[in-house]
Amino acid sequence: MKFRRPHLRVTQPKSAFAEGNARWTNLDLDPVPLHRRKWGPMSFISYWISDAFNAATWQFASSIIAVGLSWRESLAIVAISFFIISFVIAANGAVGSIYHIPFPVIARASWGFWGSYVAIISRVILAVFWFAIQNMNGGNAVSAMIGAIWPSFRTLKNGIPESQGITTAGMVGYVIFWIAQVPFLCVHPNKLRWLFAAKSIIVPIAWLAILIWAFVAEGGGAIFDQKPTVSGSKYSWLFLANMTSVLGNYATLSVNQSDFSRYSRVSPKWQLLYIPMLPIVFTFISFIGIAASSAGQSRYGGQIPWDPIVLINLWPNRACRFFAAFSFALTSLGVNISANSLSAANDLTALAPQYINLRRGQIICGLLSWCLVPWKILASAGNFLNFMAAYAIFLGPIGAIMLWDFWLIKHRKYDILALYQPSNPTYRYSSWGTNWRAIVAFLVGVAPNLPGLVESVNSSIHVGVGIHPYQFGWMLGFVATSIVYVGLSYLFPAPETIIERAVLADEIYDARGTVEGLEVGSEEVLGDGDREEKMLGTKEAIRETKGE
């Protein structure tokens, strides 16, 4: 077997897009060619079921109850939040399934080549943060698994100061989980769909068993009889604040769904599936969290165990503890890759395509996550919700700009080749390569939330009524940015960006005669292409590829 020496620069085979454009793309940023589009309807369904079953979804409603609302308001908040954000996820995901390009490249159409760095850097920071959070959830699950096998591990002497929010046992679990997920950071997204499929079967079975336990053990517990402990204006602001927290958890996927939908081999209309599916699935999982937390409180006393690992560690049966904890470790692994590491990797690749590809980007994300001390973020329900709210205020405006730019301003027509050529005037906007309309709209959407963000980070700073915009930050940012961006785009249009017809990836590949270093007529491309013809019905494209 021949081994290649590692190089600082990434290997770049001949490509219709990357060739001669190393500053702005590499093979992982190129449009996905026909023979690499492997994701069908079941891939996307299993992806979202897999993504929904995670510790954060479990904690949504139960942590909302912990800060003063009842279970009814909690489920209503989750359902409304996911109904709202499902439209944004579907709309932005459809762009990826049409043009087969990732978020950083799509952002160039609305922000300009250099302006897109505002969106890219904003998202990569947040993706790394959330990757660290899921590491902590996964590490806690691993610690519970070890404690089920080795009981004395649960009383392991702690050598870490209590102020750090983590014990020695917790750190051991964190390290093991981080190491265990490293191999998955090197797997191509096309192969990851099998991980999501396995998770979408294993985890729901385990969590349905926990739901059955909750009602068999304690009839669901006493939470279902509780009333809100707040009222009046405080109730309203708390309702909005928790909506922002829930929206923030999936604000990343509202802008980067194209990182996965680009691998789609089916019609973009399948993205509409998210609108009915996401509110139902996520609300049901949150109900499981409520019932289980309530049963845990009724059976074992004390405060509501809103953290599922805390609940699992209360069970006397070691086998139940192990398998339940394993399901949560698996959930953290799946969502960490689907929503975080691949998002960060695409962004890092766009920042330095000559030196970073998807594999390197994911590993860098994993290393950076250590710097964020996630155990402090998850020290309490209040801190968890504050973090989620902060997470949302930057991505709401980004999602709004991308959505309206494609569906309204550009009339669903992008020139895909121009998105890889900064010398092309189409998306250059100006000599600075920045769409000032997007920058202004982004600042308008973020600025009202900054006083509240400051107070949430440092509670000793009081901003008075300035906290209120922050409490519904995602919605305020999305709406304000939408109005400003659309208004500026019509008042001060960029006519060079409006094209007569869309330019798609397949016609560029066909015209250039190469796909990832392969001649279009090669056996490898044709073999996969024949299979794509059967699935997609793209007979005309295949005939052109074969030279018929």
Side-chain angles (χ1 to χ4, degrees), residues 330-343:
L330 183 58
T331 63
S332 296
L333 171 65
V335 77
N336 224 10
I337 294 171
S338 66
N340 305 311
S341 69
L342 273 171
S343 302

Side-chain angles (χ1 to χ4, degrees), residues 210-277:
I210 295 175
L211 179 62
I212 293 171
W213 166 83
F215 281 95
V216 170
E218 296 293 337
I223 283 181
F224 295 101
D225 298 324
Q226 293 180 355
K227 305 293 183 182
T229 58
V230 294
S231 59
S233 61
K234 186 176 181 180
Y235 172 95
S236 301
W237 287 117
L238 196 59
F239 193 99
L240 290 172
N242 283 286
M243 277 189 64
T244 299
S245 300
V246 175
L247 287 165
N249 189 62
Y250 279 83
T252 292
L253 285 170
S254 71
V255 300
N256 81 276
Q257 182 60 25
S258 56
D259 290 344
F260 289 92
S261 63
R262 64 188 295 221
Y263 298 99
S264 172
R265 57 177 173 80
V266 295
S267 168
K269 292 180 180 179
W270 277 99
Q271 299 295 307
L272 294 173
L273 177 68
Y274 304 153
I275 295 172
M277 184 177 75

Side-chain angles (χ1 to χ4, degrees), residues 243-521:
M243 277 189 64
T244 299
S245 300
V246 175
L247 287 165
N249 189 62
Y250 279 83
T252 292
L253 285 170
S254 71
V255 300
N256 81 276
Q257 182 60 25
S258 56
D259 290 344
F260 289 92
S261 63
R262 64 188 295 221
Y263 298 99
S264 172
R265 57 177 173 80
V266 295
S267 168
K269 292 180 180 179
W270 277 99
Q271 299 295 307
L272 294 173
L273 177 68
Y274 304 153
I275 295 172
M277 184 177 75
L278 298 190
I280 294 172
V281 173
F282 280 86
T283 304
F284 175 68
I285 296 170
S286 295
F287 176 76
I288 295 177
I290 291 175
S293 299
S294 176
Q297 183 190 39
S298 297
R299 170 154 289 209
Y300 304 109
Q303 295 182 339
I304 300 172
W306 68 275
D307 186 336
I309 301 303
V310 172
L311 173 64
I312 289 171
N313 281 325
L314 294 173
W315 295 347
N317 188 293
R318 290 166 58 187
C320 289
R321 290 207 310 269
F322 178 86
F323 288 110
F326 172 77
S327 74
F328 279 95
L330 183 58
T331 63
S332 296
L333 171 65
V335 77
N336 224 10
I337 294 171
S338 66
N340 305 311
S341 69
L342 273 171
S343 302
N346 275 287
D347 296 333
L348 292 168
T349 300
L351 294 175
Q354 293 172 285
Y355 304 98
I356 302 175
N357 55 20
L358 284 181
R359 181 178 299 175
R360 292 182 182 184
Q362 290 195 84
I363 293 173
I364 292 172
C365 174
L367 294 174
L368 290 175
S369 66
W370 279 92
C371 305
L372 304 181
V373 289
W375 39 89
K376 286 193 172 183
I377 296 175
L378 288 174
S380 70
N383 283 345
F384 178 79
L385 293 173
N386 287 340
F387 170 76
M388 296 310 302
Y391 190 86
I393 64 171
F394 299 100
L395 293 184
I398 294 173
I401 290 170
M402 293 176 58
L403 186 152
W404 298 116
D405 183 79
F406 177 76
W407 292 99
L408 185 61
I409 306 302
K410 304 296 196 306
H411 308 295
R412 298 177 294 171
K413 297 174 183 177
Y414 284 164
D415 182 342
I416 196 169
L417 188 58
L419 290 172
Y420 292 87
Q421 297 177 337
S423 59
N424 190 310
T426 306
Y427 301 113
R428 195 167 55 196
Y429 285 99
S430 69
S431 58
W432 297 100
T434 300
N435 183 6
W436 63 269
R437 305 157 192 81
I439 301 296
V440 171
F442 177 75
L443 293 175
V444 169
V446 171
N449 297 302
L450 293 181
L453 176 61
V454 171
E455 181 173 326
S456 72
V457 172
N458 187 348
S459 58
S460 63
I461 300 176
H462 299 287
V463 298
V465 295
I467 191 69
H468 292 323
Y470 175 73
Q471 290 175 318
F472 61 105
W474 187 92
M475 290 176 287
L476 174 62
F478 187 91
V479 173
T481 298
S482 298
I483 294 171
V484 173
Y485 183 70
V486 172
L488 290 177
S489 296
Y490 278 115
L491 290 174
F492 306 97
E496 70 278 6
T497 65
I498 310 301
I499 57 179
E500 293 183 1
R501 72 174 188 88
V503 179
L504 302 177
D506 290 342
E507 61 183 286
I508 302 300
Y509 280 127
D510 292 344
R512 297 295 180 89
T514 58
V515 177
E516 299 178 3
L518 300 171
E519 295 299 326
V520 170

Side-chain angles (χ1 to χ4, degrees), residues 514-542:
T514 58
V515 177
E516 299 178 3
L518 300 171
E519 295 299 326
V520 170
S522 69
E523 182 178 351
E524 181 176 346
V525 175
L526 290 183
D528 285 324
D530 287 336
R531 289 191 290 274
E532 295 293 343
E533 176 185 5
K534 182 178 180 180
M535 292 182 289
L536 288 173
T538 55
K539 297 180 180 180
E540 183 63 29
I542 301 301

